[in-house]
Amino acid sequence: MSTAQDLKNLHDRLSPTDRMPLVFLGHGSPMNAIEDTSFSRAWTELGRSLPHPKAILVVSAHWMTQGTTLVDVSAMPRTIHDFYGFPAELYAQTYPAAGDPKLAREVVTLLASHHAEEDETWGLDHGAWTVLKYLYPEADVPVFQVSIDMGRGLAYQLEVGKALSALRDRGVLILGSGNVVHNLRAMRFGGKPQDFAVEFDTLFTERLTDRDFATLSDPGRLGNLLPMAHPTVDHYLPALTVAGASDARDDLTFMTDAIDLGSVSMRSFVFHAA
């Protein structure tokens, strides 16, 4: 779990720069949006450390497409409450940030080789707004989402991240939102972490630290751990997008490394200028 010192160290390293950091957050339960948790507190502290970007591009586990990569070009993205059976207070939450249609359309062109298309129907799903409300609580930064193409392999998202990386030098913060481990079938309420969850989270951390993206994007190398940690890979892919947008100039800092509910890794990480 992140300590106050960990977050202070990150704050000291995120000095003002023209090159935006890359952020991946394990978002976990939507309830983090309205509860005072160790995770929501860490996101608040991270937000105080991050520079103020010109725009935020979000890749969320909750916008999945097949055969295409959609880019939200709406002027005012709607707040999507894409969950069921939660308290009314959660459904009342909104995140009224503006979009950035001009930049979003540039991203469509940037991702032309990834079958990108414009979309005006999506908005901000809970993978985006439940964490953005802590990072930038004033909702004063334009934000838009890019979908994940579930019809492609893991390495494809690395390529998407690489294509998006040039935006960092234009003041765009790339935010991935998912979970390093996400198996809701194996949840334990109040129980200890599942062995496979700890094992995959550890493997991911070691391989990411070593910049061994080839292993992280190869189901064969990940073996039986991958389907145990991710019965579907939607929550894993945004982590690969963020990794793909990084390069040798970046340092890596981890935060919120707990396993929640037995089988959901809340591990988050930031790539930032060395």
Side-chain angles (χ1 to χ4, degrees):
M1 201 58 190
S2 295
T3 65
Q5 187 61 46
D6 292 330
L7 291 168
K8 182 183 184 302
N9 291 342
L10 182 58
H11 181 279
D12 292 343
R13 305 198 70 176
L14 289 174
S15 56
T17 175
D18 292 333
R19 189 167 187 257
M20 285 292 115
L22 301 161
V23 179
F24 174 82
L25 295 182
H27 63 248
S29 169
M31 290 298 290
N32 287 308
I34 58 173
E35 292 182 338
D36 177 22
T37 68
S38 56
F39 310 120
S40 61
R41 290 193 296 273
W43 300 336
T44 297
E45 289 301 315
L46 175 62
R48 292 170 180 161
S49 303
L50 290 171
H52 200 80
K54 294 178 181 176
I56 303 169
L57 182 159
V58 181
V59 179
S60 164
H62 294 280
W63 193 14
M64 294 169 280
T65 47
Q66 286 281 347
T68 187
T69 301
L70 296 183
V71 183
D72 180 15
V73 299
S74 59
M76 288 297 299
R78 65 192 179 99
T79 302
I80 305 172
H81 301 92
D82 49 337
F83 39 71
Y84 304 94
F86 287 89
E89 180 185 357
L90 191 56
Y91 296 94
Q93 298 291 306
T94 61
Y95 190 77
D100 193 330
K102 183 176 183 296
L103 178 61
R105 289 188 170 95
E106 289 183 39
V107 171
V108 173
T109 301
L110 191 64
L111 296 177
S113 61
H114 296 82
H115 309 286
E117 298 178 15
E118 296 181 14
D119 178 85
E120 291 187 285
T121 65
W122 193 250
L124 299 175
D125 59 53
H126 83 267
W129 64 263
T130 61
V131 296
L132 284 170
K133 66 166 289 187
Y134 294 108
L135 298 182
Y136 296 99
E138 300 301 318
D140 55 353
V141 181
V143 58
F144 62 97
Q145 285 194 219
V146 174
S147 76
I148 50 175
D149 185 350
M150 297 296 292
R152 309 286 177 169
L154 303 184
Y156 190 78
Q157 280 307 121
L158 285 176
E159 296 170 8
V160 170
K162 186 174 182 179
L164 294 174
S165 63
L167 296 173
R168 299 177 63 188
D169 294 319
R170 297 177 55 190
V172 179
L173 177 71
I174 298 174
L175 169 64
S177 180
N179 292 101
V180 169
V181 177
H182 188 264
N183 185 339
L184 300 185
R185 304 170 193 169
M187 288 193 304
R188 289 173 171 170
F189 291 93
K192 68 176 184 178
Q194 298 274 15
D195 289 343
F196 73 82
V198 174
E199 190 174 349
F200 188 88
D201 183 71
T202 300
L203 173 65
F204 177 88
T205 302
E206 292 173 348
R207 295 301 91 222
L208 191 70
T209 299
D210 290 343
R211 307 298 204 270
D212 183 3
F213 301 160
T215 293
L216 292 179
S217 60
D218 185 343
R221 296 192 198 185
L222 295 173
N224 292 334
L225 270 180
L226 180 62
M228 294 174 70
H230 294 280
T232 61
V233 295
D234 43 284
H235 277 68
Y236 184 56
L237 292 176
L240 296 182
T241 313
V242 169
S246 70
D247 61 38
R249 293 175 289 170
D250 292 313
D251 278 348
L252 174 64
T253 298
F254 290 101
M255 52 182 288
T256 57
D257 57 359
I259 303 294
D260 194 27
L261 300 172
S263 59
V264 177
S265 170
M266 296 299 290
R267 181 174 296 280
S268 301
F269 56 88
V270 180
F271 283 105
H272 49 89

